[in-house]
Amino acid sequence: RIGFQFQNLEDFYRASDFDEMFDRMMEYERSHPESNFQIPKKCPQDPELGAWVTGIRRLGKDGVNPSHSRRLDEVGFAWTSTRQCGSKFMTKYRELVEAVEQDGLDTVLSDPKTVSWIRAQQEALKRGGLSQTRVHYMGNLFGDQWTTIGKETAL
């Protein structure tokens, strides 16, 4: 253990020794040739490697050191994960993204079940139990005012 915690996976990428982690990633690829750099965020064999790769993907090609980006490109690094998070939050979030794209935001927000789910996220945020990543997702889908959805009072 390192003795301190990172606020997010992007910080883990920034604080890690790139060459060491790159070598670990290439070793993972050699032992999992079918993976095509689809290393799970919670990689059982190497949790730090999973966090590092996820941090790089979140930052994107333009968000990492240019020399790192070049090295990753040279080995065919997959900048987008084909893996899908199976958490209840992400499953519902993806479902709502699809519904908004198909039916529009107003229609989606007219569903009481959707409003109830948003309210649950608001409560999680209030308790400190909603990660900054999920706050970002909520803002992207419902707008910056997502924390007020469902709180309108009748006149």
Side-chain angles (χ1 to χ4, degrees):
R1 279 199 83 139
I2 306 172
F4 60 93
Q5 291 187 340
F6 293 95
Q7 293 301 311
N8 58 51
L9 298 173
E10 294 89 330
D11 287 345
F12 187 79
Y13 155 74
R14 291 182 189 107
S16 297
D17 179 276
F18 180 83
D19 293 325
E20 176 193 338
M21 295 306 295
F22 183 87
D23 290 346
R24 285 162 66 176
M25 179 183 71
M26 295 311 295
E27 180 57 38
Y28 182 92
E29 281 301 297
R30 280 189 284 284
S31 63
H32 300 83
E34 74 293 342
S35 84
N36 190 32
F37 298 98
Q38 299 303 314
I39 300 161
K41 178 169 69 172
K42 296 178 181 176
C43 179
Q45 304 94 316
D46 191 342
E48 289 179 346
L49 178 62
W52 184 76
V53 169
T54 301
I56 287 173
R57 287 202 173 108
R58 286 185 182 172
L59 287 166
K61 198 181 254 195
D62 296 330
V64 299
N65 178 308
S67 67
H68 297 171
S69 178
R70 278 191 297 280
R71 282 189 62 196
L72 291 164
D73 281 342
E74 287 169 4
V75 297
F77 178 74
W79 288 94
T80 305
S81 176
T82 58
R83 302 177 61 81
Q84 293 210 344
C85 177
S87 73
K88 287 181 182 179
F89 176 90
M90 287 307 296
T91 300
K92 182 67 173 179
Y93 176 80
R94 280 192 294 272
E95 175 187 308
L96 290 172
V97 166
E98 198 172 295
V100 167
E101 288 171 356
Q102 185 174 7
D103 304 323
L105 183 58
D106 290 340
T107 301
V108 171
L109 290 177
S110 68
D111 180 352
K113 288 181 182 176
T114 298
V115 174
S116 177
W117 184 79
I118 293 169
R119 298 272 302 162
Q121 305 319 306
Q122 293 166 351
E123 286 301 312
L125 177 63
K126 198 162 112 183
R127 289 189 317 272
L130 195 66
S131 71
Q132 285 304 303
T133 300
R134 289 183 178 182
V135 169
H136 178 75
Y137 284 141
M138 295 296 289
N140 278 349
L141 183 57
F142 299 112
D144 292 335
Q145 303 302 313
W146 74 270
T147 56
T148 63
I149 293 172
K151 294 183 178 180
E152 299 82 19
T153 56
L155 295 178

